């Protein structure tokens, strides 16, 4: 998607018809250029209807990211964040890692409509589409070293769980270490990358992907059960409000974490853990499988798994988790 395609998308986001001629005039290009620009939307899975005599319209209206709307929704916590919204980037995490190394301030947020190389945990790709998913990263600096940040990804998951509850999701929850789940399907995930050394200071780039309103074309590209906030909240969700809500929850969580680590958040996290007390199988990075019962999480965020050979402590990033019984749903 190039800059013209984004400008054309913004003109159609409301979901009403615009004639090719009016769009071409407003954007100072030919009608053929508009046609080509919109063709690029079709190619990535954003459906555009073309009706002779009426022009173009999107199959569904989109809420595009709007920095002013986000700032407004942030209210009194706006001053803690420095927000930048991009149309297109390879990955917001990659960009913020580069900026972290260059000394960018704590609280910098980069949100993007379109990531060409969005990354998930354990080397997976993160699929998203403009207007459908929230993809953003937050840089947060800590006086402590990278070792202190072990439970950070769980703390971030908790902030998201609080935020989606505020957005109307009744029975969302977490899957260790930080998948956001609704009725057994994935709503979002977190990718944390560190900059700094073990003794400190350090910086964390907290990358968050949240499915807001997923078209069928995107669902078909994802190899696991996923769901969006519009379905889970049974309402239309405003991506700008959701982004602000997550940042509003992240601020107190990160402030608490910077003082005392994950320990004070542990009890609430366990209440949100959909697999607490369940029999699970854990797939180790080498492909081996460990079966056990989830006893809880430790103060450093390690998963405590009771097995026939005793209690194991499993660290974030090393394993994935699957229920041996159908995925649980919270009450
Ligand atoms: C996962 O569940 O595997 C983690 C997904 C994290 C995706 C987000 S989208 C914004 C940020 N930029 C990236 O490239 N990845 C993270």
């Amino acid at each position: 998607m190039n800059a013209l395609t984004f400008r054309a998308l913004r003109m159609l986001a409301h979901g009403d018809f615009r004639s090719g001629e009016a769009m071409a005039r407003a954007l100072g290009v030919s009608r053929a250029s508009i046609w080509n620009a919109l063709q690029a939307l079709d190619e990535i899975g954003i459906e555009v209807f073309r009706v002779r005599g009426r022009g173009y319209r999107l199959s569904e209206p989109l809420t595009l990211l709007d920095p002013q709307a986000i700032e407004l929704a942030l209210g009194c916590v706006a001053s803690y964040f420095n927000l930048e919204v991009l149309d297109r980037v390879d990955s917001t995490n990659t960009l913020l890692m580069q900026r972290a190394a260059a000394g960018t301030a704590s609280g910098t947020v980069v949100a993007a409509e379109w990531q060409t190389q969005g990354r998930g945990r354990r080397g997976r790709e993160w699929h998203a589409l403009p207007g459908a998913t929230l993809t953003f990263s937050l840089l947060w600096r800590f006086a402590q070293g990278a070792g202190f940040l072990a439970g950070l990804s769980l703390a971030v998951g908790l902030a998201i769980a609080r935020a989606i509850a505020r957005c109307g999701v009744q029975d969302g929850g977490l899957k260790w270490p930080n998948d956001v789940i609704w009725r057994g399907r994935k709503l979002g995930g977190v990718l944390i990358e560190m900059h700094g050394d073990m003794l400190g200071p350090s910086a964390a780039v907290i990358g968050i992907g949240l499915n807001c309103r997923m078209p069928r074309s995107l669902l078909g590209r994802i190899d696991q059960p996923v769901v969006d906030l519009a379905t889970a909240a049974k309402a239309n969700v405003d991506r700008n409000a959701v982004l602000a809500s997550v940042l509003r929850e992240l601020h107190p969580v990160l402030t608490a974490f910077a003082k005392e680590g994950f320990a004070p958040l542990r009890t609430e996290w366990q209440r949100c853990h959909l697999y607490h007390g369940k029999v699970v199988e854990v797939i180790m990075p080498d492909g081996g499988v460990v079966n056990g019962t989830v006893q809880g999480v430790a103060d450093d965020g390690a998963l405590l798994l009771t097995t026939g050979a005793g209690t194991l402590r499993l660290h974030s990033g090393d394993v994935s988790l699957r229920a041996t019984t159908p995925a649980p749903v919270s009450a």
Side-chain angles (χ1 to χ4, degrees):
M1 276 181 76
N2 61 23
L4 178 61
T5 305
F6 270 107
R7 293 173 71 200
L9 179 64
R10 286 192 190 283
M11 292 186 77
L12 294 178
H14 45 54
D16 296 334
F17 275 106
R18 290 294 291 263
S19 76
E21 195 182 337
M23 292 179 72
R25 208 178 319 113
L27 297 177
V29 296
S30 66
R31 284 166 59 188
S33 305
I34 295 293
W35 196 90
N36 286 332
L38 297 178
Q39 191 71 9
L41 290 180
D42 276 332
E43 279 160 19
I44 62 164
I46 299 179
E47 206 177 358
V48 182
F49 294 147
R50 295 163 171 80
V51 177
R52 191 180 287 275
R54 300 195 69 186
Y56 303 102
R57 91 168 166 79
L58 298 181
S59 61
E60 295 177 48
L62 293 181
T63 313
L64 296 176
L65 293 173
D66 173 353
Q68 279 163 1
I70 299 165
E71 298 272 349
L72 198 68
L74 280 172
C76 57
V77 300
S79 61
Y80 298 117
F81 298 102
N82 182 11
L83 174 74
E84 186 178 351
V85 173
L86 302 175
D87 279 343
R88 174 194 160 120
V89 70
D90 51 357
S91 148
T92 54
N93 260 43
T94 306
L95 180 68
L96 261 193
M97 280 299 278
Q98 288 158 1
R99 293 202 183 161
T104 293
S106 190
T108 299
V109 182
V110 177
E113 282 294 356
W114 171 242
Q115 293 188 124
T116 53
Q117 289 170 51
R119 295 182 285 115
R121 286 176 55 236
R122 300 204 305 281
R124 292 207 193 100
E125 211 179 323
W126 180 262
H127 296 277
L129 271 184
T133 320
L134 257 186
T135 50
F136 66 99
S137 302
L138 163 67
L139 171 67
W140 206 260
R141 294 191 180 274
F142 295 88
Q144 302 89 341
F148 175 80
L149 306 187
L152 180 63
S153 70
L154 280 78
V156 170
L158 182 61
I160 301 173
R162 288 180 184 172
I164 63 167
R166 283 191 189 280
C167 294
V169 177
Q170 303 269 317
D171 43 7
L174 298 168
K175 183 178 89 162
W176 184 88
N178 51 25
D179 279 354
V180 186
I181 303 288
W182 182 78
R183 300 193 178 171
R185 291 185 277 164
K186 185 158 168 167
L187 257 177
V190 180
L191 174 68
I192 296 194
E193 295 177 292
M194 308 290 183
H195 179 80
D197 58 33
M198 289 310 282
L199 296 176
S202 59
V205 170
I206 300 164
I208 296 176
L210 263 181
N211 304 327
C212 287
R213 191 171 174 192
M214 309 270 279
R216 268 196 305 272
S217 61
L218 182 55
L219 292 174
R221 280 193 252 154
I222 302 173
D223 61 358
Q224 61 177 317
V226 291
V227 67
D228 58 22
L229 277 172
T231 307
K234 299 181 185 68
N236 248 333
V237 287
D238 176 336
R239 291 161 73 235
N240 295 304
V242 176
L243 173 46
S245 179
V246 174
L247 292 176
R248 287 176 71 95
E249 296 298 339
L250 275 170
H251 182 261
V253 163
L254 294 174
T255 305
F257 188 95
K259 285 197 190 115
E260 298 178 79
F262 176 64
L265 305 167
R266 193 171 71 98
T267 305
E268 186 184 349
W269 192 93
Q270 289 185 158
R271 275 203 301 272
C272 293
H273 193 207
L274 298 171
Y275 292 72
H276 192 75
K278 303 279 188 252
V279 177
V280 297
E281 63 173 28
V282 179
I283 318 291
M284 306 301 284
D286 65 2
V289 176
V290 183
N291 289 294
T293 304
V294 175
Q295 198 187 310
V297 288
D299 280 352
D300 65 354
L303 182 74
L304 301 173
L305 194 70
T306 308
T307 70
T311 298
L312 300 181
R313 292 170 65 93
L314 304 174
H315 289 275
S316 166
D318 292 338
V319 295
S320 69
L321 187 70
R322 282 187 200 151
T324 52
T325 48
V329 173
S330 63

